[in-house]
Amino acid sequence: MAWHAQLALVLALVCLPLATAWCSGKSDACSSNPNPLWQFNALNFHAETCNLKWNSGCTILDKYGALQQKPPPYSLCTSGHQPAGLVPVDAYTLALQNNNFAPGSAKWTLHGLWPGSAEGTGAENQPYGCLHGEEFDETILTTFGGLLNYFWPTNAKFNDTMLCFILSEWMKHGTCAVIPGADGTAFRLPEEDYFRTAFVFANEFNQNPALRDQLLGNVQLDDVEPLISTRCVQCAYLATVGWTGTDVASVPRMSGDCIDQCFECGDYWDTCPPAQLDSTVMLNSSNAPRKKSDSSSNSDGIASFPLLEFAMPALTPWEQGTWRSFGAEQGGSGKFEFAQTFTDNVLTVTTDSPYPQMCTYERRGPKELVLRCGGDHHLEDCLVQRLPDIDGLEAAFLACNHTGEPAPASFYAAMDTKGCGNFLMFRCKASAAGCSFSPDAISASKPKTETKTEPESKPSLVSHSQPGIAGAPPALLGSWRSLQVSSDYEKGLAQWNFTADDQASLRWPNYPSRAVQRYSVSHSDEDPSLVLLASASGTITTCRFQFQYQPVYSYAVLDCGAAVDNEENTSTQNRTKWAMGRCNPCSAHCRYSCGPENDFCGAGSCDPAESVEAASVDALLYHHDWCTPEDSGCWPTKTAIRKLEQALDPTVPRLGVRWRSYPNPQPAPVPMGSIDNQSFYGLGNAPQGLRALYYYEDMAEMQRPCFNPADRPAVWNTASDMCKAAVRQNEYRNWNPFIVVFPLNERHVIAALNFAARHRLCIATAGTGHEYNSRNSCPTGGILIRTILLKDKTFMPTWREDSTLAPAGAFRFGAGSTFAEMHAFSKDYSRVIASGWCSTVGMVGFHLGGGHGPFAPSMGLGVDNVLEIEVLQVGRNITNGQSVVHKKIASRSRNPQLFWAMRGGGGSVWGVVLSMTIRAHAVPDGGLSHVYMSQTGTFCPDSSKFGYQWLRGMWTRFTAWQLSLNQKVSTQPGFFIDTSQYKKTRNLCSVTWEFKFEYMYAGGQAERDYIRFRDGLKDVLQTETVQEDNYQSAYDYVLSMPANKFTLDPVNPLPAPHPPSDAATGSQNSVFVSRQALETNKFASTMMDVLDICVKTLKNPDMTSPDASGYRCGFHYLYTSLTGNLGSTQPGGTAISPGFRSALMLWNARTLTTQQSRDTVYKLGPNSYFSESSYVMHNWTARYWGEKAYEQLLDVKKAHDPGNHFWCHHCVGDNPDDAFGEPLGAAA
Ligand SMILES: Cc1cc2nc3c(=O)[nH]c(=O)nc-3n(C[C@H](O)[C@H](O)[C@H](O)COP(=O)(O)OP(=O)(O)OC[C@H]3O[C@@H](n4cnc5c(N)ncnc54)[C@H](O)[C@@H]3O)c2cc1C
């Protein structure tokens, strides 16, 4: 039934008599409930009495001692009375309406949000187990009046019956709304939570065109009732946590990552259970499931409702029963399988292995289990986690720390935790037909005679032709620990191995006498999950392969069913189903899945180096074996260089950096003073453009700085071609490359990498050269691979790996793309990219480092928007130890740890990036509004307007304004101090400041928030002058800027006599300022402390300062262009620091000493921005990433760059104890 038909019926039934009589909400006894409602929805009411349905009794005392209807218990059993391993709701139904009847209200109105089922049609079929009702609390109407009016506007057509309507909505649907909790528990949503969840969802639906597209598909928005996944409702619920506001502006946004997950299962709700919310989510424990013993009422008929501790499931914990498992830890032998039986507080391990034992156990939290095992009752802390079901099997993960140390904190960390026994566990769902996986018959003492006597068959490779596509589908490639499920489960642990040469083998690690079975493999071209195994005798077995990807570990089911014997006889006798698991191939530690015999991983190629033992890789940490010019045994000769040049197709014109003026996008940044605003000082303007290769013929030249700070920019225009080709921002320490190459394609990059590996050259990579801290330079010369000419671009309306991750499509850009080029291209498709502020910054460095910018609060940081990275690496051939260049694709499903590391791990240490695929965003409704205002003043110490004292108040007002910003606003304020007159006057009133304030608003200028923020900032700066613009594309914004707005300064900022030191730290001291530091006004006072340092050095110059006058004044950028704004989404799964993710502001301060930074800015937050920070930094690993994350990054680095070819200053793999960037520190 369409929503308006339902509505009409409800209204007819409920409201026609007299609305208020029915809608007054509170009734003292069941009999006062409105009669017509039960007629409409008999589920909630007893037909005879019209009472709301209760398990027992129907009243409870309210706080005034009066009787009220009691809140109901909620059944957590499935309709089949199975323990609710998962909540018995697999979808919600939602009715949507285009609001064209109430101006000023939300454009789209949502009606109801109620649990249904995948096959159900919403209200008619709702809900499983929802047998109870609850009264409508009228205070909701007053508390949320504004929101209700906005999202549920009254409709004159229906006699403005909102009040009745809401009541009936709650009665019908809200009373039944449940949210899955941890471990299969569920929580009925209390009324306020239900409405808040519905508001968040309504708001998201209005604000987020991508979500609308997803929910509606091709359906026109009139009269629709889409099904939405429980995960989506969870996302809306999660956004409500901590939200206490009651107006539209305060409604939080749903997390983008969470929304992404809403759709990851397409329409297959039943195979994609809702995520289990963990204990960090404050679910209302009064709505937790009750213990069976609690169900009785006391003598007054008043039931007691004990407050259960959240996520401590009292009712049949999910783990109860028997599971079969195999070891999943890194160091494990991979030989054993186990059966774990959990009964009330006792765990019995019967096993094929030498470890049978009995332990008592105790749940300590949603994911924690404590075992007391063996005679000595030693304690083991375990992590338990339920994983999504697969093909009739339930799955779980258990990691127990045998060492007495705490359990690993996460599924991810478990693999890295030494002394931890990890298990992937499976068991048959009760409902799964044909699944026989009972281990009851298995025990350690059970004789294994029968299984060892199988006839041995000589393994022989098969090569006959097969139907379909040759080889296994990519996700099946590799080796899997496997257990039979359907029959013969006593056979023990097996190992399936699917290789890239279209072969598969099945072995039994514990039974060497059993023959290895070999097959050749193909799969159906129409349905890749259909895998065909051809045995040596010609028997073809058809198997269905199902795959469940989880971070770190994956598992699968291979269901080998009907056998077709020589294409004649069909038999179902040999049906065999396998539960299979492994850690994800190509993860840094996943060595048991990825060895030399198994040189592939998923669809990418597996770096053989990953199978090198960790101990031997450790030695690589600081060991650089780079060739130096002094070593003629490896340093490239002219002949070798010419050969490389030939491999780079030198006659093909390289014109890609020549700029023809606006409206063509700038292909590269303009170095300071460049004539005609050309990049590379016009080097690319030659008729043939750039050359393929430049190098220093005279090695003495290589040691000299290219761009001397003492010279004027005019002189820099005449620098050598080599200098121009290598031009980069801030060339600290004058580390010039020996060779610069400009590849045009992948083949060229491979040639350069092979050359570098052959000559053991340190490899640096650069695109635009914008990097502030010389991370595009090697201390020993080496080779600079300049990817600026890789400028391919493609728009993909649908992102093939997972369209739900990029509802507005995706762009793939070559590594040389600048944001100007990306914006120009995305404009053609009416899309936006979450770029940085500077239009000539390059895609690669920005995304590797984190990436904040004008659209980050609404669209995410750079790292949040990367979908795939194509990278060339230098690995080692396991057989001969030689270097090999190979390509890897990093994405959520391919090389996921590399993907994690490359999104925030920074620098060029992962290889040479060829391209990145970036999420596209729709242009926000109302376009992109831009606001600029400024204020100037002095350092006059008196209380004059815009003087030094005025500043103190200004920072406090600024702070309040910052704290109010929502996700639509992204700011780039710069505070500049001019001391040029002070030397002459010695008067602080001659020191001037200018606060230049620009921000971007994702929406139109008529929006209430736009006006609120603009006027608020006018008050902060006490100005009336505002420049306002509105753009329909980000490229229009780029075109509004002068071509040389962001020049690249090619000099060394810290030449002698102030080389990098604690007194001259270089670049900028950055800190991610936490919201708390702003709330407590710590930011404002710290800012004044920093300005006091400036004033102090004006009076008493500090001659250790790199400033010629000895001042420490500089300037400050105060970006609020992160994801800390109200309503911004903060997805996880990237390597950036926690401080980066949650900070409200990034403060980049200039010219402070290390100590001054420690005393001031660094106190505002533990983390700094990798891409905008000081050259000199102590504890840089902790400030950039945190120690634990750094260790993981280092592991990924070791696995993917085993020869340590790629290095950069204060990048993963650099010397963590070197604060200063000493060349020796780098090469030691
Ligand atoms: C004027 C200016 C404005 C800026 N504005 C912002 C901003 O708004 N937001 C923000 O977050 N950051 C900003 N930054 C910082 C910027 O994100 C970093 O400097 C970033 O590293 C620049 O990337 P790039 O590719 O342009 O520079 P490059 O110097 O070319 O490269 C930077 C890093 O990426 C590596 N790299 C480049 N290309 C490749 C490749 N193909 N393969 C492997 N590694 C590669 C380099 O080795 C180096 O480590 C700004 C910087 C400047 C100079």
Side-chain angles (χ1 to χ4, degrees):
M1 190 188 301
W3 79 268
H4 53 72
Q6 285 174 22
L7 174 62
L9 179 54
V10 172
L11 294 174
L13 293 171
V14 176
C15 300
L16 281 184
L18 180 61
T20 46
W22 305 113
C23 303
S24 60
K26 189 163 172 168
S27 57
D28 289 334
C30 303
S31 57
S32 67
N33 283 311
N35 204 12
L37 273 181
W38 70 258
Q39 294 174 1
F40 179 71
N41 183 0
L43 273 177
N44 281 342
F45 296 89
H46 288 286
E48 304 81 37
T49 64
C50 88
N51 286 354
L52 292 172
K53 281 184 176 171
W54 310 108
N55 259 2
S56 53
C58 65
T59 54
I60 190 170
L61 295 179
D62 70 13
K63 61 181 171 184
Y64 307 108
L67 276 181
Q68 67 168 7
Q69 287 176 335
K70 70 186 184 186
Y74 194 83
S75 162
L76 290 178
C77 295
T78 63
S79 47
H81 297 287
Q82 294 303 313
L86 295 169
V87 174
V89 171
D90 51 18
Y92 281 73
T93 309
L94 182 77
L96 307 168
Q97 182 197 24
N98 216 334
N99 169 20
N100 47 16
F101 53 83
S105 296
K107 201 163 168 202
W108 287 284
T109 298
L110 278 61
H111 292 283
L113 187 62
W114 61 92
S117 69
E119 286 96 42
T121 51
E124 276 183 11
N125 198 29
Q126 62 125 350
Y128 301 88
C130 181
L131 301 176
H132 316 291
E134 188 179 17
E135 289 193 19
F136 177 68
D137 175 0
E138 281 168 297
T139 59
I140 293 283
L141 292 177
T142 41
T143 312
F144 293 121
L147 287 165
L148 289 166
N149 273 317
Y150 185 74
F151 290 117
W152 279 267
T154 55
N155 189 346
K157 209 161 107 190
F158 300 125
N159 301 325
D160 287 343
T161 47
M162 183 186 84
L163 188 134
C164 262
F165 180 69
I166 292 298
L167 184 150
S168 65
E169 288 286 303
W170 167 246
M171 287 295 199
K172 282 206 319 279
H173 316 309
T175 53
C176 308
V178 291
I179 285 285
D183 304 334
T185 60
F187 295 80
R188 192 178 57 76
L189 284 178
E191 190 167 2
E192 180 172 333
D193 290 358
Y194 169 77
F195 276 101
R196 285 193 183 276
T197 304
F199 292 139
V200 166
F201 206 89
N203 185 49
E204 195 65 40
F205 188 82
N206 275 277
Q207 304 272 351
N208 187 338
L211 176 69
R212 282 200 302 277
D213 289 352
Q214 279 290 346
L215 279 176
L216 301 180
N218 297 325
V219 182
Q220 290 299 309
L221 189 74
D222 242 358
D223 194 26
V224 279
E225 273 184 22
L227 279 177
I228 52 174
S229 72
T230 310
R231 285 181 191 214
C232 259
V233 176
Q234 285 183 335
C235 297
Y237 174 78
L238 284 175
T240 70
V241 175
W243 171 45
T244 52
T246 53
D247 61 341
V248 177
S250 71
V251 181
R253 295 292 299 272
M254 287 162 62
S255 136
D257 260 16
C258 200
I259 293 176
D260 288 347
Q261 288 172 20
C262 290
F263 300 104
E264 68 188 6
C265 291
D267 292 333
Y268 301 103
W269 307 112
D270 43 350
T271 56
C272 188
Q276 297 290 300
L277 301 186
D278 67 26
S279 58
T280 55
V281 180
M282 293 305 294
L283 289 170
N284 186 329
S285 55
S286 62
N287 288 283
R290 299 183 324 135
K291 283 185 192 162
K292 269 198 179 114
S293 57
D294 294 332
S295 62
S296 60
S297 303
N298 62 19
S299 55
D300 304 328
I302 299 173
S304 56
F305 293 94
L307 286 193
L308 296 178
E309 253 193 82
F310 166 63
M312 301 277 274
L315 188 79
T316 321
W318 62 260
E319 74 270 9
Q320 293 230 339
T322 301
W323 298 80
R324 291 282 295 279
S325 73
F326 43 78
E329 73 269 20
Q330 158 58 20
S333 69
K335 283 194 165 183
F336 302 120
E337 57 138 345
F338 307 83
Q340 280 108 332
T341 302
F342 294 84
T343 53
D344 283 341
N345 299 328
V346 176
L347 164 65
T348 314
V349 185
T350 48
T351 173
D352 223 5
S353 79
Y355 312 117
Q357 60 178 336
M358 192 180 278
C359 313
T360 56
Y361 76 95
E362 186 190 324
R363 292 300 296 265
R364 288 263 174 90
K367 290 186 183 167
E368 199 186 352
L369 200 70
V370 176
L371 301 179
R372 277 190 179 76
C373 302
D376 57 354
H377 283 99
H378 79 272
L379 286 182
E380 292 192 11
D381 252 16
C382 311
L383 170 85
V384 284
Q385 187 162 328
R386 187 82 160 72
L387 301 173
D389 298 349
I390 185 167
D391 193 28
L393 289 175
E394 293 180 347
F397 180 75
L398 176 72
C400 291
N401 204 329
H402 306 316
T403 62
E405 294 290 307
S410 69
F411 188 45
Y412 180 90
M415 187 163 64
D416 295 344
T417 305
K418 286 199 174 75
C420 196
N422 299 347
F423 308 89
L424 267 178
M425 314 202 298
F426 301 93
R427 69 177 173 197
C428 292
K429 279 176 155 177
S431 54
C435 183
S436 94
F437 202 7
S438 162
D440 296 341
I442 297 219
S443 78
S445 56
K446 186 172 167 67
K448 295 170 190 144
T449 46
E450 161 257 324
T451 48
K452 288 203 173 182
T453 54
E454 282 207 352
E456 201 158 318
S457 73
K458 278 243 175 322
S460 61
L461 281 176
V462 289
S463 58
H464 50 270
S465 64
Q466 303 157 34
I469 300 172
L476 181 57
L477 286 175
S479 58
W480 299 84
R481 291 178 186 175
S482 312
L483 290 170
Q484 279 196 30
V485 179
S486 50
S487 59
D488 282 346
Y489 52 80
E490 292 169 307
K491 269 189 152 173
L493 189 81
Q495 184 171 352
W496 273 104
N497 200 29
F498 290 84
T499 58
D501 59 355
D502 313 339
Q503 303 296 309
S505 63
L506 174 65
R507 331 170 170 259
W508 304 87
N510 295 320
Y511 304 95
S513 62
R514 285 187 200 163
V516 178
Q517 288 153 262
R518 295 184 189 277
Y519 303 91
S520 57
V521 189
S522 64
H523 63 276
S524 156
D525 41 3
E526 279 153 21
D527 179 358
S529 71
L530 273 189
V531 177
L532 305 167
L533 300 178
S535 70
S537 67
T539 305
I540 296 177
T541 307
T542 307
C543 306
R544 168 127 353 240
F545 171 61
Q546 290 191 50
F547 177 68
Q548 180 55 254
Y549 172 80
Q550 290 286 302
V552 187
Y553 294 94
S554 293
Y555 51 96
V557 164
L558 191 65
D559 187 356
C560 298
V564 182
D565 204 11
N566 290 335
E567 296 171 16
E568 276 170 11
N569 303 323
T570 304
S571 155
T572 51
Q573 298 299 308
N574 298 330
R575 186 189 171 95
T576 313
K577 193 166 169 176
W578 298 89
M580 323 202 303
R582 65 172 176 201
C583 60
N584 282 321
C586 289
S587 72
H589 296 269
C590 186
R591 309 202 198 287
Y592 69 73
S593 295
C594 196
E597 82 294 348
N598 192 14
D599 182 13
F600 50 80
C601 290
S605 79
C606 181
D607 187 342
E610 289 180 10
S611 59
V612 174
E613 282 304 306
S616 67
V617 199
D618 267 348
L620 295 172
L621 179 52
Y622 302 123
H623 176 68
H624 299 285
D625 194 18
W626 302 325
C627 189
T628 58
E630 293 74 40
D631 188 346
S632 57
C634 52
W635 198 248
T637 61
K638 284 187 182 171
T639 313
I641 295 171
R642 246 174 255 126
K643 221 168 141 192
L644 170 62
E645 190 174 15
Q646 285 313 310
L648 301 177
D649 300 324
T651 55
V652 176
R654 284 170 161 78
L655 299 166
V657 298
R658 183 191 290 172
W659 187 51
R660 278 170 290 156
S661 79
Y662 285 137
N664 301 297
Q666 285 175 282
V670 180
M672 200 168 271
S674 175
I675 295 164
D676 292 336
N677 293 321
Q678 288 295 332
S679 58
F680 296 93
Y681 288 108
L683 190 64
N685 294 356
Q688 288 297 298
L690 294 166
R691 292 211 306 267
L693 182 150
Y694 299 82
Y695 76 103
Y696 278 106
E697 295 201 36
D698 177 357
M699 291 304 293
E701 281 297 308
M702 188 176 109
Q703 321 292 338
R704 266 197 279 277
C706 271
F707 302 96
N708 196 328
D711 297 336
R712 286 166 298 114
V715 179
W716 300 343
N717 275 285
T718 62
S720 71
D721 283 0
M722 182 64 208
C723 283
K724 289 177 182 173
V727 70
R728 284 149 297 138
Q729 169 101 5
N730 291 358
E731 289 185 30
Y732 284 99
R733 299 191 179 279
N734 308 317
W735 288 341
N736 292 326
F738 172 50
I739 299 172
V740 182
V741 293
F742 286 93
L744 290 169
N745 52 42
E746 179 179 332
R747 184 168 51 81
H748 292 168
V749 180
I750 292 174
L753 288 176
N754 274 323
F755 175 88
R758 210 174 307 127
H759 294 279
R760 291 196 282 111
L761 297 180
C762 174
I763 304 169
T765 318
T768 67
H770 259 308
E771 159 57 41
Y772 280 112
N773 286 331
S774 287
R775 287 170 177 134
N776 36 32
S777 318
C778 283
T780 49
I783 187 166
L784 173 62
I785 301 177
R786 195 120 211 192
T787 51
I788 190 76
L789 295 176
L790 302 182
K791 292 201 183 278
D792 293 351
K793 43 191 179 298
T794 322
F795 175 60
M796 292 165 278
T798 305
W799 168 230
R800 62 177 151 64
E801 184 176 286
D802 184 347
S803 61
T804 61
L805 288 175
F811 292 101
R812 179 162 52 240
F813 290 106
S817 304
T818 64
F819 281 126
E821 292 168 315
M822 294 161 76
H823 284 322
F825 190 62
S826 62
K827 178 184 175 172
D828 294 345
Y829 299 91
S830 304
R831 299 290 197 281
V832 191
I833 287 154
S835 68
W837 290 95
C838 166
S839 55
T840 53
V841 159
M843 172 183 70
V844 177
F846 174 86
H847 285 100
L848 291 177
H852 67 93
F855 314 113
S858 56
M859 300 175 194
L861 296 170
V863 286
D864 301 330
N865 286 289
V866 180
L867 298 169
E868 188 177 276
I869 305 170
E870 206 185 358
V871 58
L872 288 176
Q873 299 180 329
V874 182
R876 271 212 199 113
N877 185 319
I878 197 85
T879 47
N880 58 16
Q882 299 291 306
S883 299
V884 285
V885 175
H886 53 203
K887 182 152 88 174
K888 286 208 180 131
I889 304 292
S891 72
R892 279 175 174 75
S893 61
R894 296 159 83 179
N895 296 299
Q897 291 200 7
L898 179 64
F899 187 58
W900 167 80
M902 291 185 81
R903 289 180 304 145
S908 56
V909 294
W910 317 105
V912 176
V913 174
L914 294 174
S915 76
M916 284 181 164
T917 302
I918 309 290
R919 182 185 285 140
H921 294 267
V923 177
D925 288 346
L928 304 165
S929 301
H930 182 257
V931 177
Y932 175 80
M933 45 186 121
S934 66
Q935 189 53 276
T936 54
T938 70
F939 270 22
C940 269
D942 59 26
S943 55
S944 56
K945 191 155 187 196
F946 307 126
Y948 200 72
Q949 294 310 318
W950 182 89
L951 275 177
R952 194 176 295 277
M954 197 270 290
W955 292 124
T956 303
R957 289 195 302 279
F958 166 79
T959 299
W961 185 81
Q962 296 279 110
L963 285 166
S964 74
L965 296 181
N966 68 15
Q967 81 287 351
K968 292 198 151 203
V969 184
S970 186
T971 80
Q972 183 185 211
F975 186 83
F976 302 90
I977 303 166
D978 183 355
T979 56
S980 56
Q981 299 303 311
Y982 181 77
K983 252 195 171 155
K984 279 184 251 160
T985 64
R986 305 293 295 170
N987 181 348
L988 284 175
C989 293
S990 69
V991 177
T992 59
W993 57 261
E994 182 170 19
F995 201 10
K996 293 182 172 180
F997 212 120
E998 76 166 316
Y999 70 81
M1000 195 61 89
Y1001 180 90
Q1005 292 170 324
E1007 288 183 27
R1008 223 165 37 173
D1009 279 349
Y1010 173 88
I1011 295 164
R1012 178 162 68 96
F1013 292 127
R1014 181 202 57 199
D1015 294 349
L1017 186 59
K1018 278 158 72 176
D1019 289 344
V1020 172
L1021 298 179
Q1022 296 184 351
T1023 179
E1024 283 304 317
T1025 314
V1026 188
Q1027 187 189 319
E1028 297 174 78
D1029 297 287
N1030 182 267
Y1031 305 107
Q1032 279 315 301
S1033 74
Y1035 192 55
D1036 292 343
Y1037 166 56
V1038 171
L1039 292 178
S1040 73
M1041 295 183 235
N1044 60 355
K1045 176 161 179 184
F1046 307 102
T1047 51
L1048 193 150
D1049 190 347
V1051 302
N1052 176 353
L1054 294 178
H1058 297 293
S1061 69
D1062 280 329
T1065 56
S1067 200
Q1068 51 214 320
N1069 307 96
S1070 84
V1071 62
F1072 288 113
V1073 184
S1074 67
R1075 178 167 274 277
Q1076 199 199 16
L1078 285 138
E1079 279 165 352
T1080 52
N1081 224 17
K1082 232 164 120 188
F1083 160 73
S1085 61
T1086 305
M1087 178 52 99
M1088 290 311 290
D1089 290 346
V1090 169
L1091 297 184
D1092 285 349
I1093 291 173
C1094 161
V1095 171
K1096 208 166 132 199
T1097 56
L1098 287 167
K1099 293 176 181 165
N1100 297 303
D1102 168 6
M1103 295 323 286
T1104 67
S1105 166
D1107 179 298
S1109 306
Y1111 303 154
R1112 291 195 180 271
C1113 292
F1115 57 91
H1116 304 269
Y1117 268 103
L1118 299 161
Y1119 297 98
T1120 303
S1121 51
L1122 311 166
T1123 51
N1125 292 17
L1126 298 172
S1128 288
T1129 54
Q1130 300 186 342
T1134 63
I1136 59 170
S1137 64
F1140 192 162
R1141 174 58 74 204
S1142 59
L1144 180 56
M1145 192 167 79
L1146 168 64
W1147 179 1
N1148 292 340
R1150 303 271 169 156
T1151 63
L1152 297 176
T1153 66
T1154 295
Q1155 193 53 48
Q1156 285 162 349
S1157 298
R1158 284 181 185 148
D1159 293 342
T1160 58
V1161 291
Y1162 287 168
K1163 282 195 168 157
L1164 297 178
N1167 298 116
S1168 296
Y1169 183 22
F1170 175 86
S1171 295
E1172 294 177 330
S1173 59
S1174 56
Y1175 184 83
V1176 172
M1177 193 190 283
H1178 299 260
N1179 302 328
W1180 54 271
T1181 54
R1183 285 211 72 84
Y1184 288 152
W1185 300 287
E1187 294 296 4
K1188 177 72 192 153
Y1190 181 74
E1191 276 172 30
Q1192 288 175 346
L1193 284 166
L1194 190 58
D1195 284 343
V1196 179
K1197 158 80 175 158
K1198 286 180 203 165
H1200 289 272
D1201 181 24
N1204 217 354
H1205 295 276
F1206 296 91
W1207 176 91
C1208 49
H1209 167 72
H1210 286 184
C1211 294
V1212 176
D1214 189 15
N1215 181 353
D1217 299 325
D1218 170 43
F1220 306 103
E1222 296 290 351
L1224 217 117

